[in-house]
């Protein structure tokens, strides 16, 4: 069975600073995908970034990057230059045949 | 369609009644998923459909929950004899196919309130 652990229920960051959201995972499958989604207060689920288990390089998408450490089974999300609009819930998820989500981290960006 | 469409957006029902939630996936997406999100919680997997394969029902919490997908497109999630603990947002998602490299597009959800 797959498992995702997000140990930070809440995080605060000042605008324009960088922030790292932690995620560790557990799976026995050699092939998997790691995903991060953002859920603002409106409730929609917004895809941010993807990392394949065989990818050698860390994924990046604009201000988002994924710090993938396969041996440690961690897939932390780094948001650079935080903006007020980044305030939301952030979910890490693992996909072998279906997405399994962590419990999420609530990020609050303050001016 | 352009996105995943769910209806109704809100549903209030009395305890003990049956409800049906509908999901219309993105055209051409062969995989369809249902999740449940209780207030302030993460997403709990319920069931998924991939093409003509038997659905993966491993996440359904009880036999009061069932789902079907007709013609490989629209899906209906049915909850029989609703209980107050069924109150949650039910999210549907679709993807091009099932597999580790495929991300999902989510609908806006149905907020179910059982009173």
């Amino acid at each position: 069975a797959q498992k995702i652990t997000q140990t930070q229920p809440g995080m605060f960051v000042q605008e324009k600073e960088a922030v790292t959201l932690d995620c560790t995972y557990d799976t026995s499958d050699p092939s998997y995908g790691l995903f991060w989604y953002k859920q603002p207060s409106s409730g929609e689920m917004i895809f941010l970034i993807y990392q394949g288990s065989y990818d050698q390089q860390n994924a990046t998408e604009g201000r988002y990057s994924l710090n993938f450490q396969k041996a440690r089974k961690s897939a932390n999300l780094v948001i650079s230059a935080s903006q007020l609009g980044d305030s939301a819930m952030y979910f890490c998820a693992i996909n072998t045949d279906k997405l399994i989500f962590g419990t999420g981290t609530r990020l609050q960006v303050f001016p | 369609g352009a996105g995943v469409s769910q209806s109704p957006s809100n549903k209030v029902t009395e305890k003990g009644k049956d409800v049906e939630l509908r999901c219309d996936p993105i055209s051409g997406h062969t995989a369809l998923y249902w999740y449940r999100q209780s207030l302030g919680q993460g997403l709990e997997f319920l069931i998924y459909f991939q093409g003509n394969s038997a659905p993966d029902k491993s996440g359904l919490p009880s036999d009061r929950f069932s789902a079907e997908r007709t013609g490989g497109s629209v899906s209906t999630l049915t909850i029989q004899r609703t209980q107050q603990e069924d109150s949650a947002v039910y999210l549907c998602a679709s993807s091009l196919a099932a597999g580790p490299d495929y991300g999902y597009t989510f609908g806006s959800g149905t907020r179910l309130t059982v009173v």
Side-chain angles (χ1 to χ4, degrees), chain A residues 98-101, chain B residues 21 32-38 43-49 55-62 65-67 77-79 86 88-92:
Chain A
K98 55 188 176 282
L99 274 176
I100 301 299
F101 287 85
Chain B
L21 313 179
L32 185 149
Y33 309 81
W34 284 98
Y35 288 83
R36 177 170 71 174
Q37 186 175 27
S38 301
L43 278 72
E44 174 190 8
F45 166 76
L46 297 177
I47 186 171
Y48 89 86
F49 301 86
D56 178 344
K57 305 179 182 180
S58 59
L60 294 178
S62 78
F65 288 73
S66 63
L77 177 69
T78 301
I79 309 173
D86 299 335
V89 175
Y90 289 81
L91 289 161
C92 176

Side-chain angles (χ1 to χ4, degrees), chain A residues 13-76:
Chain A
V13 65
Q14 190 166 32
E15 200 176 7
K16 300 179 185 175
E17 296 294 311
V19 63
T20 298
L21 306 184
D22 294 341
C23 173
T24 57
Y25 62 92
D26 190 24
T27 181
S28 56
D29 280 293
S31 179
Y32 51 89
L34 295 158
F35 296 78
W36 279 90
Y37 281 81
K38 172 184 178 181
Q39 188 177 45
S41 57
S42 59
E44 61 190 307
M45 291 291 287
I46 302 169
F47 164 75
L48 296 179
I49 196 166
Y50 155 80
Q51 178 88 41
S53 58
Y54 296 114
D55 293 343
Q56 296 296 313
Q57 292 193 319
N58 287 342
T60 60
E61 290 284 351
R63 295 187 298 110
Y64 304 107
S65 60
L66 199 152
N67 184 0
F68 181 45
Q69 298 187 43
K70 193 170 183 176
R72 298 178 64 181
K73 294 190 173 180
S74 77
N76 298 339

Side-chain angles (χ1 to χ4, degrees), chain B residues 86-111:
Chain B
D86 299 335
S87 296
V89 175
Y90 289 81
L91 289 161
C92 176
S94 69
S95 65
L96 276 171
D101 301 325
Y102 292 95
Y104 301 177
T105 301
F106 283 84
S108 300
T110 294
R111 182 177 298 278

